[in-house]
Amino acid sequence: MSAGSDSSVIRIGTRGSLLATTQAQTVADALIATGHPAELVIIKTAGDASQAPVAEIGVGVFTTAIRVALHNDEIDVAIHSYKDLPTAPDPGLIIAAVPPREDPRDALVSRDGMVLGELPPGSTVGTSAPRRAAQLRALGLGLEIRPLRGNLDSRLGKVASGELDAVVVARAGLVRIGRADAVTEAFDPVVLLPAPAQGALAVECRSDDAELVRILAELDDASTRVAIDAERSVLAALEAGCTAPVGAIAEVVESIDDDGRIFAELSLRAAVAAEDGSDVIRASVVGPVDRAEQLGKNLAAELLELGAGELVDRGSQA
């Protein structure tokens, strides 16, 4: 594709779910608004073809097929839910933009509008993520955690039908498909730490397409990017896949120096949980915004000193 040509249409690869296409369309609309015609190309991934737990199918289950299409010049841009991407870079590809992040928190959708603390012991709660399951068990509420796959509508349907008492999903997804009203509780990260990069999109293209890299860079949100870099740095340093029971959240915050001047810093929190909920190791750090990846590595090192490695290994063998 010649991205600089007015007649060219930027082909945007995405999964075919309502959430995925809605996310990709926001990028297409942003490109169209700046004078760059764009269209969606639907790609079926291994994660779409299987109902097995993501932890069993493998890291990259929702992203590999789209990246292959990008390498093969079948599409020009790939849109991923950033949390689904493996932490290792893909040679020849570049994350050209990280648009502003949607709410990163996990959310509860429950029967009768109950918040988590109101669910009776033994209530069935569905979740797709070992991280969520581990942290929910660690709360000691006596809940029965059940595996959950399927698109957001089917997950919410399990609550509406009475098959489950509640489900825990990413609030960002519900917001994006216009179902934020279904949320009965959005969890403070102190209660449930979200997945690294949750609520963020990765806009990826071939690194040698300089003109397209330039065009996409206009969609980048600097604060979101540094937060994601820090969170994923924790995940990479722990050598944990995107399905591991690791939570992390970073945000750019305002601090005041001794002279009363306001400056920006990056606040990063992370946690590693045993899948059976028997242990949760938490740590946090604040540091310079321009050292996001190093902050993540430092925080991971602290977590490992506290024994997080054993919990990650235990989870990967489960």
Side-chain angles (χ1 to χ4, degrees):
M1 185 203 73
S2 174
S5 169
D6 291 338
S7 61
S8 63
V9 176
I10 299 173
R11 301 163 298 169
I12 300 176
T14 176
R15 296 172 61 204
S17 71
L18 173 61
L19 175 59
T21 55
T22 300
Q23 291 176 163
Q25 191 62 49
T26 64
V27 176
D29 291 345
L31 288 169
I32 292 166
T34 56
H36 304 290
E39 64 182 14
L40 302 190
V41 177
I42 307 303
I43 296 170
K44 191 164 187 175
T45 71
D48 301 312
S50 171
Q51 286 299 305
V54 174
E56 292 179 12
I57 311 173
V59 174
V61 61
F62 294 121
T63 59
T64 300
I66 300 175
R67 282 180 149 177
V68 168
L70 190 54
H71 278 296
N72 292 342
D73 196 21
E74 296 165 13
I75 57 174
D76 306 303
V77 177
I79 308 297
H80 310 284
S81 288
Y82 212 150
K83 67 182 176 68
D84 292 336
L85 279 180
T87 53
D90 191 319
L93 303 183
I94 184 173
I95 307 297
V98 185
R101 187 183 208 169
E102 187 51 79
D103 188 340
R105 292 177 295 173
D106 282 316
L108 183 77
V109 178
S110 69
R111 64 178 176 85
D112 305 324
M114 288 188 285
V115 298
L116 191 68
E118 294 173 332
L119 290 171
S123 294
T124 54
V125 179
T127 175
S128 60
R131 169 192 58 81
R132 291 184 185 127
Q135 293 188 68
L136 286 168
R137 291 187 181 108
L139 295 174
L141 299 176
L143 303 171
E144 183 184 332
I145 311 301
R146 293 192 181 171
L148 184 69
R149 281 293 310 278
N151 61 36
L152 279 174
D153 275 332
S154 69
R155 294 182 191 199
L156 300 188
K158 292 182 185 300
V159 177
S161 69
E163 183 179 338
L164 294 171
D165 293 310
V167 295
V168 178
V169 297
R171 187 176 186 277
L174 295 175
V175 171
R176 287 188 172 120
I177 66 169
R179 297 295 305 274
D181 60 334
V183 175
T184 47
E185 182 177 9
F187 294 112
D188 187 293
V190 171
V191 177
L192 211 64
L193 208 57
Q198 187 159 297
L201 301 181
V203 182
E204 190 172 48
C205 69
R206 291 179 293 278
S207 54
D208 61 2
D209 194 340
E211 179 65 6
L212 187 54
V213 171
R214 182 192 64 78
I215 290 169
L216 295 174
E218 297 174 12
L219 308 181
D220 193 65
D221 181 72
S223 294
T224 298
R225 184 181 279 271
V226 296
I228 299 311
D229 285 349
E231 294 167 16
R232 284 173 59 82
S233 179
V234 174
L235 195 63
L238 291 173
E239 298 182 344
C242 63
T243 61
V246 176
I249 190 166
E251 58 183 334
V252 177
V253 297
E254 288 187 346
S255 297
I256 301 176
D257 66 16
D258 293 338
D259 297 322
R261 288 179 297 221
I262 296 175
F263 66 101
E265 284 192 299
L266 192 62
S267 169
L268 173 63
R269 289 178 281 169
V272 179
E275 287 209 23
D276 62 3
S278 60
D279 195 8
V280 182
I281 297 172
R282 303 177 187 272
S284 61
V285 67
V286 177
V289 171
D290 61 0
R291 299 198 66 204
E293 289 192 24
Q294 189 59 50
L295 283 174
K297 291 176 183 176
N298 293 348
L299 190 57
E302 183 178 344
L303 287 166
L304 288 170
E305 285 181 12
L306 295 170
E310 181 185 338
L311 300 191
V312 172
D313 289 341
R314 197 187 307 169
S316 66
Q317 294 165 8

